[in-house]
Amino acid sequence: TGYDLFATTFSPDGRVFQVEYATKAVENSGTAIGLRVKDGVVLGVEKLILSKMLVEGSNRRIHTIDKHAGLVFAGLSADARQLVNRSRDEASNYRTTYGSDVPAQVLANRVASFTHAHTLYWSLRPFGASVLMGVYDADGPQLYCVEPSGSCYNYFGCAVGKGKQAAKVEIEKLDLANMTARQAVVEVAKIIYSVHDEVKDKAFELELSWVCDESNRRHQLVPKDLLQEAEKQAKEALQEDMDDE
Amino acid sequence: TGNPPYPTDDPALGTTIMAVVYDGGVVMGADSRTSAGSYIANRAADKITLVHDSIFVCRSGSAADTQALTDYLKLYLGMHSLDLEEAPSVQTAAHLINQLLYSNKNHLMAGMIVAGWDKRNGPSVFNIPLGGGVIPELYSIGGSGSSYIYGYVDANFKKNMTKEEAQTFVKNAVSLAIARDGSSGGLIRTVTISADGVERELVLGDKLPKIGFGQ
């Protein structure tokens, strides 16, 4: 200890504790999942409901960054709001300057640079949020994960938040390369329902979005009927698992 | 006092420039006269400037302004291609230079034609006039000499010409403009860009195509 006071201090074993603590904030949040499939990217999140007085559909965790890009976050929502706004600015500036959609890797790298910059100074604290970005650019659909450290990786499937370990196990069982976005929506719903902890956390709301061929490569919340169908199948799958036990 | 014995006018590219899309690529053409008032500062200027492997810019207006702009564009495109890990598109180059031009429009006199070939869109031509704006076209003409050849190009352009037809079209058009515009002259330079790469050609001043004027 003593090495964890500032983001500008390394510990003797080469760790930056402030960044690790920021990651803890992410791990205390509801699980967020992203799947990149054949024809698009699907994002989903377990929105834990802290009070019955909250209006349904409020406190959005999934945000649209540009026509062809969206993100879901896990962690401190106020911190994430900064990342959302910055992503939108970057995407918009790119379009103004270069005249076309921002490519996934450029957007992800810009957000990662921004996040990383906040781990370099004594006077700033790191962001307590991880962001999963789904972007459908000229090279096809791509999924990137940006963490509080500023690391940025390109994934086929990724999960952040409370149930990320269990979710990753489930994701690895899927054949993502041959799945459609429509099928992936159901899979994401199933995984979120299965990693949700009934005992520790009471109710949750499922938020799902996609950017795929079926949505004309536009990022949008999944249509209501598909959302309901996905939730129905997820509940049934959960029921089967319980019956098996 | 009075008239110093050296040119004091800002060197300008009086100019005739053009670019044409053909089946598989673009042909860009320009004259070679840089004038400072009535003094010809350069009679063999190269007005078609490389800004990336397969993207070139035809320059007209102030020589200083257009050279500064294309220098910046070359730098920005080079850095951008590192981010993209591939060659940028012609559309990107056109919008980038437009940003520079539009933001500084009160201090610049530059009319440019950005043309080239990229993997995703194939051949493209974009006209960037004096005040800014990006206009995608199949064929585009610019510079003071262009006024005299609107009729010729409008009447003779055909879609999906062969490379040879397009090169002849460009040489003829620039030649006609040189004949009528005092600020255009010298030789005709052409740059042909396609998936196969870049080809530069030169038509010397005494070998200009004999077209029109009853020849």
Side-chain angles (χ1 to χ4, degrees), chain A residues 94-100 103 105-106 109-110 138-139, chain B residues 76 80 82-86 89 91-92 95-96 99 120:
Chain A
Y94 186 96
R95 189 181 289 289
T96 305
T97 307
Y98 299 100
S100 60
Q105 133 203 7
V106 173
N109 282 332
R110 287 186 181 191
D139 287 329
Chain B
Y76 292 151
H80 187 51
L82 292 174
D83 266 343
L84 292 179
E85 293 181 2
E86 64 177 20
S89 64
Q91 176 189 355
T92 298
H95 278 89
L96 250 181
Q99 280 287 95
R120 251 181 264 284

Side-chain angles (χ1 to χ4, degrees), chain A residues 144-156:
Chain A
Y144 280 88
C145 176
V146 179
E147 294 176 347
S149 60
S151 76
C152 169
Y153 290 115
N154 191 349
Y155 286 99
F156 287 107

Side-chain angles (χ1 to χ4, degrees), chain B residues 75-138:
Chain B
L75 168 68
Y76 292 151
L77 281 178
M79 305 210 48
H80 187 51
S81 72
L82 292 174
D83 266 343
L84 292 179
E85 293 181 2
E86 64 177 20
S89 64
V90 184
Q91 176 189 355
T92 298
H95 278 89
L96 250 181
I97 206 173
N98 182 53
Q99 280 287 95
L100 289 172
L101 197 151
Y102 184 70
S103 319
N104 295 294
K105 65 177 353 194
N106 293 331
H107 307 285
L108 294 172
M109 186 168 78
M112 285 164 302
I113 301 179
V114 181
W117 182 93
D118 62 71
K119 192 177 60 174
R120 251 181 264 284
N121 310 102
S124 314
V125 168
F126 293 90
N127 193 349
I128 318 234
L130 244 38
V134 178
I135 307 164
E137 296 180 295
L138 287 176

Side-chain angles (χ1 to χ4, degrees), chain A residues 123-169:
Chain A
S123 55
L124 297 174
R125 68 166 173 78
F127 287 102
S130 280
V131 154
L132 294 176
M133 314 187 78
V135 184
Y136 202 144
D137 70 17
D139 287 329
Q142 286 150 81
L143 172 67
Y144 280 88
C145 176
V146 179
E147 294 176 347
S149 60
S151 76
C152 169
Y153 290 115
N154 191 349
Y155 286 99
F156 287 107
C158 188
V160 288
K162 268 191 168 97
K164 80 166 189 224
Q165 280 306 107
K168 282 189 180 170
V169 166

Side-chain angles (χ1 to χ4, degrees), chain A residues 74-94:
Chain A
L76 303 176
S77 59
D79 285 16
R81 193 187 303 125
Q82 293 282 73
L83 295 176
V84 169
N85 286 333
R86 183 71 184 210
S87 304
R88 287 177 175 159
D89 285 344
E90 295 288 3
S92 169
N93 278 330
Y94 186 96

Side-chain angles (χ1 to χ4, degrees), chain A residues 10-35:
Chain A
F10 275 105
S11 73
D13 49 352
R15 296 155 70 178
V16 182
F17 281 110
Q18 278 297 306
V19 172
E20 294 190 15
Y21 295 160
T23 310
K24 288 255 167 43
V26 175
E27 283 165 13
N28 286 334
S29 154
T31 316
I33 296 177
L35 292 184

